[in-house]
Each structure stands twice: as structure tokens, then as C-alpha cells.
Amino acid sequence: MSSPLSAAPRFRMSKPDWLASPKVLRTEVLAGLVVALALIPEAISFSIIAGVDPSIGLFASFTMAVVISVVGGRKAMISAATGAVALVIAPLNHEYGLGYLVAAVILAGVFQVILGALGVARLMRFVPRSVMVGFVNALAVLIFMAQVPEMHDVPWAVYPLIAAGLALMVFFPKVTKVVPAPLVSIIVLTVITVAAGIAVPTVGDKGELPSSLPVPGLPDVPFTMDTLTTIAPYALAMALVGLMESLMTAKLVDDITDTRSNKTRESVGQGIANIVTGFFGGMGGCAMIGQTMINVKVSGARTRLSTFLAGSFLMVLCIVFGPVVSDIPMAALVAVMVMVSVGTFDWHSVRPRTLKRMPLGETVVMAITVIVVVATDNLAVGVVVGSVTAMIIFAKRVAHLANVSGVVDPDGKQVVYSVTGELFFASSNDLVHQFDYKDDPDDVVIDMSGTHIWDASSVAALDAIETKYAQRGKKVTFTGLNEPSADMHERLAGQLTGGH
């Protein structure tokens, strides 16, 4: 007889996907290293935007990447300090100081956890494809534009270095793909500039790298209601912007890798990562789209290990290899980001053949999304404006799809109207004017089997039709309503006016 213990189910931990093969492990490790190198100048730049010491942005990138690699819902996506978050919280830091900024980051994380638990990720289903294409194209434009200052008013040697970096990334993969081309480009250009003594801007010119790990602690603010009311608006704005960019990036990675991610887990994970980052004195962040493209599209990473190592390597590079990293020419990183921008842009979407076949409204939505994002330098604003524009165009298009056709019985005692199309606030406005109240017979039948009632405005329109006929002593009968429409009509019919 078997013991109760032998009958108990046995649980085995599944093997991490990055241990599937030596090739996968190598890809993930090298991808993490490339991303870490690309994160350093970006994090320093965003620290400057936020008005804080460069170490604050680097610490944020470290903690965000490491934490999200464990709790996030999208494998291989990179989260770190970002420009969007820096822009939101910069005014708070300038006016009140670093303590309030850190407190706002923690509160933003709490907001993100709450919003994630409430299912805010489900709103992503309302983002149309045209907005997504505009988002991707705008992202590519922003990545390229961010490199322009690094190519302006610089020594002439920067330009051939950038060209050489681009050439290496184009042709090196034809030789071998064992080592990521961006990593080869960064190493080769660094060796050339150091060995030849070429004076060009380097990573070290962006700011001093940290020499030790961040230490956890509480924000240096008074824990009062005044503090809460001061930081809450900034925290909420940061939470919304961070979630928008992270969820859009996750959706983009889903499409690139042909896999699905857990958007709710990602939303909550972003919140947890920001809370941890705040307690370590970082400036907070969200998904970093450019570095994610380096990780996923350029380097071919697919697991959480690359994200974890990107954050870990970042600190190792800063603390252990700071002097070496400081010598990396900015031209090498500019070349990498230019390559990313070219690879990110959806060139198919702007081909004449595609534009000719695409409905005009879709093209307009894509263009508006790109224009707003580039004009505001804010991906979240562009997505919201693009989505609202798409909804307006859609509502206008379907508003004219509600049609009414009537047939009078041969004996002239009854008329049967057939209503087809979708009835909602836009389409139902015209519905009232499509009936012949004066000349129709006394018995009016309106067949609703070809339509669906979506809102109270449609029920109010049906009430108005019935009232107009009743004023002339005529009776209206509605038939063919599907179950949801019948239920809504039964609950609201005759209840939508005040009776005065």
C-alpha cells in the first residue's frame, strides 16, 4: 500500500527558457551587454532633463531593468529611465527638490499597481492598427531626432566614425551572427579612437559614472497631507504615461516575436519596479522602446535573462569598468541608434502602393499620430490623440449606415419598415427623419431584425418615432429585436424624458 506522501502530486520547476541551448544563452548574454552600453548615455541624458545627478538616472535604469525582468509580463522588454517620465517629473524636482521627486516615483508605482489590478491593460484593445503603425513610425523618427544633437557642432571625425559604425552593422552579419553587430561596432570604434588618439565626444563627457551601488532608503520629505497633494498630480501623470508607453511597447514586441504577453502583469510589474526604484533613490521609468528594439529586433533576445543582464551589466560597467566605458565614442552609440530607427520604421506603410489601397481615414490617423508624437515629443499623447481621431472617423463612417426602407400592404392598412445597420448616438440622430408620419397608414410595423441598439440615444430615437406617430393617432409595433436590444428597449423606453 502506497503512503499518502507517495500519492501526493509532484511539482517540478520548469527549466528556464534561456537554458534551452548554449546558442540561446549566448544570444541573451550578448544582447544584455549591448543594451547596457546603449543605456548609459541615455540614462545620463534623461537625468539632465529631470535636473538630477547622472547617477540617479543610472540607478533607475539598473533597478527598473532588474525588477521588471522578474515581475514583468513581457519577456525581453527593457524598462529603464525614460525621457517621457523625466519630462513629467522635472518640474516637481525643479520646484521642490529630489526628495519630492523620489516620493512621486513611489506613489506613481502605487498608482500603476492599482490601475493594473483594475484592468487598465484591457484598454489596449481600443488602440487601432493605424495608431499602432503611427506609433512605430513616430518612435523611429524620435529615435533618429534624438541623435541629431550628437551630430551637430562636433569634430569632423565623428561623421566617418558614424559611417563606419553603420557599415559594420550592415555587413558584419553577412560574415557571422554569433556576436551582435552593434557590440562589434562599439568595440571596434572605441579601439580605433583610443589607439589613434582621436578627440571626439565620449560617454564620459555626458556625466560622471557612479562608483558604488545604490542604497535603499525613504524619501527625504515630510510625511504630511500637503506633501501628498503636492506629488499626487505628478505621480498620476507619470503612472499614466509610463503605462501607456509600456503597454504599447509590449504590444509591439508581441508583433515582432509573434508571441503574447500578459499586459495586466506588465502593468502591475511596472508599478512594482517604480516602487523599488523610488526606495533606491532612482528617478523612475517605464519601457524603453529604443533599447527594447536593440534587444529584440537587432540582437534577437527573447527571454527575461537579457533584461536582467542589461540592468546588471549596466552597474558592472559603471562601477568596475567606468574608465573604459567613459572612453566609448558617442559616434558608436549614435550609429547603433540610427540603425535601430531605420529598422523600426514601417517602410511598407508609406509605400505609394500601400497608401493607394489604404482607406484615407486610416492614413490620416497614422499621419496625425506621427505628427502629434513628434510635435509633443510624447508617445502617450500621440497615441491618445490618434485613437480619438480614429474613433471620430469610425463614428462618422458608421453614422450613415443605418438605413430605413418601407413597404405598404396592398390593402393600404399597414406599412412595414425595415431598419438595418448599427444604432448608436451618431446614427440614431438621422433615424427619426426617415419615416413618413403624415401619409403612413394607422398600423406601422418597424422590423429591427437587421440592426442592434447600442445606447440610450437609440432608444430615445425610437421613443421619438413612436411619439410622432401617436400624435397622429397611429400605432407603432417594434419587431425582431435581438435579446440585448430588446432588454435595453424594455428598460429605457418611455423613461428618457422628464415629461415636460
Side-chain angles (χ1 to χ4, degrees):
M1 184 175 179
S2 60
S3 67
L5 288 176
S6 63
R10 296 180 179 179
F11 298 98
R12 292 189 304 174
M13 292 184 63
S14 59
K15 190 177 181 180
D17 44 10
W18 45 269
L19 284 178
S21 71
K23 181 180 178 182
V24 171
L25 180 60
R26 182 181 66 244
T27 298
E28 299 299 310
V29 172
L30 293 176
L33 180 57
V34 174
V35 171
L37 289 169
L39 276 173
I40 293 173
E42 296 275 302
I44 295 174
S45 298
F46 298 146
S47 299
I48 294 171
I49 292 174
V52 298
D53 189 81
S55 61
I56 303 299
L58 290 165
F59 289 157
S61 295
F62 162 61
T63 54
M64 287 293 298
V66 169
V67 175
I68 205 67
S69 70
V70 178
V71 300
R74 173 64 260 177
K75 295 178 181 179
M77 191 166 79
I78 305 297
S79 289
T82 59
V85 168
L87 288 169
V88 170
I89 59 177
L92 179 65
N93 178 63
H94 293 322
E95 187 170 352
Y96 295 96
L98 180 61
Y100 281 81
L101 181 149
V102 171
V105 169
I106 296 172
L107 183 58
V110 174
F111 283 150
Q112 288 177 328
V113 170
I114 295 172
L115 290 169
L118 291 176
V120 69
R122 287 193 290 269
L123 295 176
M124 286 301 297
R125 69 183 66 181
F126 297 107
V127 178
R129 181 187 177 279
S130 54
V131 174
M132 191 66 195
V133 173
F135 170 83
V136 170
N137 290 345
L139 161 64
V141 173
L142 287 183
I143 292 174
F144 181 81
M145 289 177 62
Q147 311 316 309
V148 173
E150 304 297 339
M151 295 184 277
H152 178 68
D153 195 21
V154 293
W156 68 269
V158 167
Y159 304 109
L161 285 172
I162 293 175
L166 292 172
L168 275 170
M169 284 183 284
V170 170
F171 295 109
F172 186 79
K174 299 180 186 299
V175 178
T176 179
K177 294 184 179 179
V178 173
V179 182
L183 180 59
V184 174
S185 177
I186 292 170
I187 293 174
V188 169
L189 294 188
T190 302
V191 170
I192 290 174
T193 54
V194 172
I198 302 173
V200 292
T202 64
V203 170
D205 296 331
K206 287 289 183 179
E208 187 178 350
L209 302 181
S211 57
S212 61
L213 289 172
V215 178
L218 294 175
D220 184 18
V221 295
F223 292 90
T224 63
M225 187 57 65
D226 286 341
T227 300
L228 181 62
T229 55
T230 299
I231 66 174
Y234 296 95
L236 181 59
M238 175 185 162
L240 293 175
V241 168
L243 283 181
M244 176 70 77
E245 292 211 20
S246 299
L247 293 175
M248 289 294 290
T249 307
K251 192 173 187 298
L252 178 59
V253 177
D254 289 353
D255 294 339
I256 293 172
T257 61
D258 197 25
T259 58
R260 295 185 64 182
S261 58
N262 188 330
K263 305 297 190 302
T264 297
R265 177 176 173 178
E266 182 60 38
S267 301
V268 174
Q270 288 290 329
I272 295 172
N274 272 307
I275 292 172
V276 172
T277 297
F279 281 120
F280 275 92
M283 58 180 276
C286 62
M288 206 168 190
I289 307 168
Q291 273 63 22
T292 297
M293 290 299 99
I294 294 176
N295 197 46
V296 175
K297 201 166 186 178
V298 178
S299 302
R302 293 292 183 270
T303 77
R304 297 179 184 275
L305 181 63
S306 58
T307 306
F308 177 84
L309 290 178
S312 302
F313 282 151
L314 173 64
M315 280 294 98
V316 172
L317 289 169
C318 290
I319 296 172
V320 180
F321 300 101
V324 176
V325 173
S326 296
D327 288 334
I328 295 174
M330 285 302 300
L333 299 175
V334 168
V336 171
M337 297 311 292
V338 168
M339 201 70 181
V340 169
S341 69
V342 172
T344 301
F345 196 90
D346 186 351
W347 298 100
H348 176 75
S349 67
V350 295
R351 288 177 182 169
R353 182 182 299 179
T354 304
L355 295 174
K356 185 177 180 180
R357 294 180 178 180
M358 190 69 65
L360 180 60
E362 302 277 324
T363 303
V364 169
V365 169
M366 180 187 71
I368 287 177
T369 303
V370 173
I371 291 170
V372 173
V373 169
V374 173
T376 63
D377 199 25
N378 192 315
L379 290 161
V381 173
V383 169
V384 171
V385 173
S387 297
V388 171
T389 303
M391 292 176 187
I392 293 172
I393 291 175
F394 173 76
K396 185 177 180 180
R397 184 185 305 160
V398 300
H400 304 291
L401 296 181
N403 297 313
V404 177
S405 58
V407 177
V408 181
D409 280 356
D411 58 9
K413 293 183 178 180
Q414 186 184 69
V415 60
V416 178
Y417 284 99
S418 294
V419 180
T420 58
E422 304 299 314
L423 291 183
F424 66 112
F425 62 90
S427 61
S428 60
N429 287 333
D430 296 332
L431 188 67
V432 180
H433 307 293
Q434 299 189 49
F435 296 86
D436 190 356
Y437 303 103
K438 180 180 178 182
D439 297 326
D440 277 343
D442 293 344
D443 188 9
V444 179
V445 177
I446 301 179
D447 180 11
M448 307 285 290
S449 58
T451 188
H452 184 94
I453 298 175
W454 288 104
D455 58 11
S457 297
S458 303
V459 178
L462 297 181
D463 282 353
I465 294 168
E466 192 170 8
T467 299
K468 287 180 179 294
Y469 276 115
Q471 289 172 347
R472 293 167 175 80
K474 301 174 183 181
K475 179 186 176 184
V476 176
T477 304
F478 296 102
T479 64
L481 286 166
N482 58 38
E483 187 174 343
S485 299
D487 179 62
M488 181 175 290
H489 186 259
E490 183 179 350
R491 284 187 292 108
L492 298 180
Q495 307 297 318
L496 298 174
T497 60
H500 55 275

